Amino acid sequence: MVGAVACLSAYTGIGVVVHGSSGCWFYPSSLLKTDLGCTDLSAEEAVMGSGERVRAVVESALARHPRVAVVNTCVPGIVGEDLAGLLDGLPVTLVDAPGFLGDASVGHTAAVAALRPVVDPDAGTVGIDGLSPLDPFFRGDLHECERLLRLAGAVPGTRYAGGPVESLGRASPVSVVANPVYAAGPGERAGDLLGLEAVRATFARLADRDPRIDPGPVEEECREADMRCRRACERYLARHDPPRAAILGDGDRVRAAARTLVRYLDADVVLLGDRAGTPGSPGERWWRAGDLGLVQEALQATSPDLVLGSSFEERLSPGAAFVPFAPPVRGRPRLASVPLAGVEGTLALVEAVLLACTGRRKA
Amino acid sequence: MPCLLSDDLGEEEVIFGGEAALARALDEAVARSPGSIAVLSTCVAEAIGDDCRAVASRVPGTIPVVVIPVGGFFGGGFLEGERAALHAYGRLASRLFDPGRGDDEPVVVLVGEKNLEFEADAHADELGRLLGHLDQAVGLRFVREAPTAALGRLPGADLLVLREPALGPVADRLPVLPGTPRIDAFPVGLSATVGFLSAVGAALGLDADAACEAELDHQETVLARFAGLAGSRVRLPAGNRWLAELAEALGLVVDPAGVPLPVPDPAPVGTAGIARLLSRWRRAL
């Protein structure tokens, strides 16, 4: 449910109503700090029906928005009320996303599908997929994807999620992906932008597809960024041993960060953790990072001196250098739009790792 | 970091029942040897009729288990959930009370701190500082950062300090001796902070005159740091006594056309809270 609400709230031109109890509303509301409606479902309404309440709340939201999305939570999901019938005639999008269906990415995908984007093969734009306001790198990734697309002469198009909701009516035929765990848009995917190799490959595919796209400037940026990372890391390695790294977060990001750390810092990656629980290839040190007990066990077993993860992993590894890499990131102000994707994303990651490792040694 | 486990109900449990999943989660909790386990039922468990209490009763008796039915749509809003948790832990406190173990010092209990409040620990520190004027300390934070065994001190409390007056009905049902003194809210404002010391002194039978004098001196020092604000024309919410008192102490000119000043909600606690607020005001001016 939270993933769906976050996705929908990223679009302008549509209001969001949580159909559930006030507790269901409180968490996304405090996290996203945006205008969310709520039907404040009570026990009586769960039994006797919530039609009048839902319609009243939606009508009130329609006074502020041209269109409203109603996100179903667990209880109405179980009760199975006919919301479509109750809201007949109103400009409403229904999203069935009770929490028991899965994690935030499941809700995000359900929300994108419910908005029914229509691909226009002649749109002449390149979409940006894999964006969620729940992701601490959401704004940074968006800016970086747009910058790289413009650098290659492409026109940034539909976002999943973000921008005017009307943009989904003429969606880009092809997209680049910022964070694959939230990739939910329709059309072709040129690839993700996690790491310099992926950036090169994705822009090469875009250029193959559309001769108006010139990957040269992006290639050049990748080359320069590669040099800068090499130089900075060689200076670090001249004085220090390579880090023993644990990386925990969304699967593809974890893989990409591991490749970057090995490439530039000769890191010993002792632990890779995917929150979605996807098993790794044989020989990889993958753990299901969605269970904090397992994460604690794995961190104790591997004793990393560098941890990329969330504030949870930070608290579990008090002696290690820490780089924010997955939500939640608490107790440290985050004002700048830092990316993980693209050329700047790789530079920002390597910079953050070097600062954290150097800071730990000074401490 | 609080240890939060989930029984991770999925579609299958919604259809076939979630009690087995809860039992597995409780086994995992027991394996960690906690001081106590709180089981919070959510909307789904309530809607499908899982008997969480029955499942929880199977946990070995050496670990106290508290079941708190807080399924959002059954349990009401945020405050109702908070009160249900305080009631449940009140009952646990009476089970843990050892009448033979008397406390040498008076036990001052903070009741119902807002655990999601960013400044919660800063407020507790400020109350600790104020109590220090009377050579007292916070004996129990009910419930925040408290080991389970410490909850047994609640029935022997000498003074309850509630976070806010709305917690009165909760305090009425806490397992304390009849007539246990109570302060209805954390102090907000200059005179209320000094008044807090007087109230604590009266409740514990202590002479608070010197403590009040010391705090007044401290407040003068704090206000002197912001003397430069005197004469500023400011706009403040009307009808708020502690704000009017603060404006007067600083020599601010309250004027509907003045600079609007931020006033946080919840209001700042104690003199330390006032000092932080004045820093914000100075930036605004």
Side-chain angles (χ1 to χ4, degrees):
Chain A
M1 180 273 289
V2 178
V5 171
C7 170
L8 295 161
S9 69
Y11 287 104
T12 56
I14 189 164
V16 184
V17 167
V18 175
H19 182 30
S21 68
S22 59
C24 298
W25 169 88
F26 181 80
Y27 180 61
S29 179
S30 58
L31 204 62
L32 300 165
K33 296 178 178 58
T34 187
D35 172 27
L36 295 179
C38 181
T39 54
D40 276 333
L41 192 65
S42 67
E44 191 183 324
E45 285 152 346
V47 177
M48 308 299 288
S50 59
E52 277 179 36
R53 172 71 69 89
V54 179
R55 200 168 170 99
V57 173
V58 166
E59 282 172 345
S60 151
L62 282 170
R64 304 190 303 279
H65 307 279
R67 182 175 164 190
V68 166
V70 178
V71 182
N72 228 5
T73 61
C74 295
V75 170
I78 294 170
V79 172
E81 216 166 0
D82 175 21
L83 284 182
L86 292 169
L87 299 170
D88 191 32
L90 297 177
V92 169
T93 300
L94 298 175
V95 184
D96 196 32
F100 58 78
L101 286 185
D103 62 16
S105 66
V106 174
H108 177 93
T109 303
V112 170
L115 291 172
R116 298 177 189 277
V118 179
V119 172
D120 178 359
D122 302 320
T125 57
V126 178
I128 303 171
D129 203 349
L131 299 169
S132 168
L134 295 176
D135 183 350
F137 302 97
F138 167 66
R139 275 183 307 148
D141 278 355
L142 168 63
H143 296 167
E144 175 63 357
C145 291
E146 287 188 334
R147 186 185 73 82
L148 289 175
L149 287 172
R150 291 200 178 99
L151 191 64
V155 179
T158 321
R159 298 182 212 157
Y160 308 99
V165 74
E166 304 83 53
S167 65
L168 298 175
R170 195 173 172 229
S172 308
V174 60
S175 299
V176 295
V177 178
N179 182 4
V181 80
Y182 288 114
E188 193 183 327
R189 284 179 196 153
D192 68 56
L193 301 177
L194 297 173
L196 299 178
E197 285 309 312
V199 172
R200 284 192 187 101
T202 297
F203 275 86
R205 278 193 286 273
L206 285 175
D208 285 345
R209 200 182 172 284
D210 183 348
R212 290 169 298 181
I213 292 176
D214 175 12
V218 176
E219 276 278 354
E220 182 54 31
E221 271 213 3
C222 288
R223 204 163 25 246
E224 273 179 35
D226 182 59
M227 292 288 288
R228 288 164 71 186
C229 289
R230 278 183 194 284
R231 229 175 282 137
C233 291
E234 272 162 22
R235 288 177 69 180
Y236 176 86
L237 291 173
R239 288 172 291 162
H240 308 296
D241 291 334
R244 280 172 60 80
I247 310 172
L248 303 108
D250 297 329
D252 290 283
R253 279 184 167 171
V254 170
R255 282 179 209 279
R259 282 195 297 270
T260 299
L261 294 191
V262 170
R263 179 184 180 93
Y264 295 115
L265 281 166
D266 191 28
D268 180 11
V269 181
V270 293
L271 170 63
L272 299 126
D274 178 10
R275 286 192 167 176
T278 316
S281 313
E284 281 187 325
R285 293 144 177 174
W286 279 92
W287 287 70
R288 182 177 164 240
D291 183 316
L292 205 54
L294 286 178
V295 170
Q296 184 169 22
E297 205 177 285
L299 287 170
Q300 280 168 356
T302 52
S303 305
D305 56 20
L306 167 67
V307 172
L308 278 66
S310 70
S311 293
F312 294 137
E313 284 88 26
E314 181 184 21
R315 292 287 293 270
L316 293 174
S317 326
F322 173 71
V323 174
F325 188 71
V329 177
R330 291 183 185 145
R332 56 177 78 210
R334 291 177 64 83
L335 301 177
S337 302
V338 180
L340 259 188
V343 177
E344 290 296 325
T346 300
L347 289 168
L349 177 67
V350 172
E351 178 182 292
V353 165
L354 290 177
L355 283 171
C357 289
T358 312
R360 174 180 174 268
R361 287 172 189 282
K362 280 183 182 161
Chain B
M1 180 161 47
C3 178
L4 294 177
L5 302 176
S6 168
D7 56 9
D8 216 3
L9 294 185
E11 254 183 312
E12 193 177 320
E13 287 79 18
V14 169
I15 296 165
F16 297 106
E19 292 179 6
L22 175 58
R24 282 195 298 274
L26 282 169
D27 286 345
E28 194 184 330
V30 168
R32 291 164 188 244
S33 307
S36 60
I37 299 171
V39 177
L40 288 83
S41 57
T42 60
C43 295
V44 172
E46 301 284 349
I48 62 179
D50 281 349
D51 190 346
C52 298
R53 211 171 281 281
V55 179
S57 70
R58 296 200 282 269
V59 170
T62 48
I63 300 176
V65 181
V66 174
V67 180
I68 310 170
V70 283
F73 75 100
F74 275 130
F78 185 91
L79 288 177
E80 284 79 6
E82 183 187 43
R83 285 169 197 175
L86 289 172
H87 283 314
Y89 268 91
R91 287 192 292 274
L92 175 61
S94 61
R95 281 161 51 197
L96 297 169
F97 180 52
D98 176 3
R101 179 188 170 271
D103 280 290
D104 296 334
E105 299 295 329
V107 177
V108 179
V109 179
L110 307 187
V111 177
E113 289 177 77
K114 295 172 186 286
N115 285 334
L116 292 180
E117 191 175 39
F118 191 65
E119 308 91 338
D121 289 327
H123 292 340
D125 289 346
E126 172 66 351
L127 294 196
R129 184 188 69 79
L130 291 168
L131 292 170
H133 283 316
L134 293 160
D135 293 326
Q136 302 299 314
V138 174
L140 172 64
R141 299 173 71 181
F142 185 79
V143 177
R144 184 176 173 85
E145 305 278 350
T148 299
L151 299 179
R153 304 185 79 190
L154 178 66
D158 296 281
L159 170 64
L160 304 178
V161 181
L162 312 191
R163 175 64 185 90
E164 59 188 7
L167 288 166
V170 172
D172 289 343
R173 292 176 57 188
L174 290 179
V176 292
L177 291 174
T180 299
R182 183 192 297 181
I183 293 174
D184 285 337
F186 287 9
V188 173
L190 295 169
S191 59
T193 300
V194 176
F196 172 79
L197 289 169
S198 300
V200 173
L204 300 180
L206 302 168
D207 181 356
D209 288 350
C212 292
E213 283 298 323
E215 189 57 20
L216 281 168
D217 288 346
H218 177 59
Q219 289 182 347
E220 268 186 37
T221 309
V222 168
L223 292 175
R225 281 166 39 206
F226 298 93
L229 302 183
S232 303
R233 305 191 88 77
V234 301
R235 191 164 81 221
L236 290 168
N240 199 320
R241 254 183 26 206
W242 71 268
L243 279 175
E245 175 195 56
L246 182 58
E248 189 183 336
L250 281 166
L252 300 175
V253 180
V254 179
D255 176 352
V259 176
L261 291 179
V263 179
D265 181 22
V269 168
T271 306
I274 294 285
R276 286 184 208 111
L277 177 68
L278 293 181
S279 288
R280 288 180 68 182
W281 284 7
R282 184 153 59 191
R283 292 199 297 280
L285 289 166

